[in-house]
Amino acid sequence: MTTFKTPQVIQIPEDAKQRASEFAKAVASTVNYKDSNQSTQNKIQDDHFVSKLGEEAVRIIFQSRECQVEGPDYGVYEARRKSWAADLKVNGLDVAVKTQRRSAGNRYDVSWTFQDSPERRDPILDMPDAWVCLVVFEDLQDVTECLVYPLRKIKQLIFEAPRLARLVGKKQAVYLETLVKNKIL
């Protein structure tokens, strides 16, 4: 797969931003995140919006490198049909995408979380060779941009307990400063 070695800045076109916004509005009422202490519809909607922007950024970067990309999936499914399928397929390889807002990173440190509670566990945590692309949505700028970090395998990441006490026991976190310090990114 044609990849990249340094973080890439990707501008999100208006049509992709609109798709992400419409999807977020449609899907917010179909999910239940009470096991993560999250029941605020606006927050759930925003999380889905930011996630789709990250997926769009990763799609754009790999398509620009002449890769075949499937996704993002904009289907809205009822609870029993939701899955933990990869966010994208790049040249046939499953790729998970994790995205955080820069404004949240400025408050809590740039990090990406993976669900890990007794009720729900992200299966990718048990797939050491699975690919993941970490993204920061640059929401403090006038343009819609994402900073896309190079692909990494789950086994290359360093997982830590979340620094927010309310997320401990519900999520695992990957912190940018730890990855940089350990020369992973």
Side-chain angles (χ1 to χ4, degrees):
M1 173 178 349
T2 306
T3 190
F4 49 97
K5 297 188 185 303
T6 59
Q8 304 291 303
V9 175
I10 302 297
Q11 286 203 347
I12 307 298
E14 196 57 41
D15 63 326
K17 187 176 172 182
Q18 186 63 35
R19 279 192 305 272
S21 177
E22 290 171 6
F23 170 78
K25 288 175 190 165
V27 79
S29 64
T30 71
V31 297
N32 179 348
Y33 294 148
K34 289 191 175 141
D35 62 321
S36 299
N37 295 332
Q38 188 50 262
S39 59
T40 305
Q41 286 299 304
N42 286 344
K43 171 74 167 102
I44 292 168
Q45 182 175 321
D46 185 67
D47 286 350
H48 283 284
F49 173 69
V50 170
S51 293
K52 285 300 178 200
L53 290 181
E55 291 172 27
E56 288 285 357
V58 175
R59 175 190 62 78
I60 291 166
I61 198 165
F62 280 105
Q63 282 182 337
S64 75
R65 286 165 167 69
E66 300 183 8
C67 295
Q68 284 293 114
V69 181
E70 294 175 38
D73 180 3
Y74 283 98
V76 177
Y77 306 102
E78 53 193 63
R80 69 178 179 275
R81 290 192 53 221
K82 293 185 188 298
S83 77
W84 288 92
D87 298 307
L88 302 171
K89 279 192 181 287
V90 179
N91 288 345
L93 294 174
D94 289 345
V95 176
V97 179
K98 293 291 186 177
T99 309
Q100 184 190 42
R101 282 180 174 272
R102 173 68 66 190
S103 57
N106 288 351
R107 282 194 311 269
Y108 309 115
D109 297 323
V110 175
S111 63
W112 301 272
T113 59
F114 294 74
Q115 187 66 34
D116 191 15
S117 70
E119 296 82 9
R120 283 185 306 134
R121 178 177 165 83
D122 190 333
I124 202 168
L125 294 171
D126 300 317
M127 301 165 65
D129 290 317
W131 292 102
V132 64
C133 209
L134 305 174
V135 179
V136 175
F137 167 39
E138 300 290 0
D139 65 321
L140 299 175
Q141 303 178 133
D142 291 335
V143 295
T144 305
E145 286 184 344
C146 288
L147 183 62
V148 180
Y149 287 89
L151 281 172
R152 293 292 181 257
K153 289 189 174 188
I154 286 291
K155 67 185 176 188
Q156 293 174 290
L157 302 179
I158 299 170
F159 289 90
E160 303 176 53
R163 294 179 185 155
L164 283 177
R166 64 181 167 83
L167 298 179
V168 173
K170 298 174 184 341
K171 297 191 181 275
Q172 288 192 46
V174 173
Y175 287 90
L176 179 60
E177 70 181 37
T178 301
L179 298 180
V180 169
K181 183 174 75 177
N182 288 280
K183 297 183 175 141
I184 294 167
L185 285 181

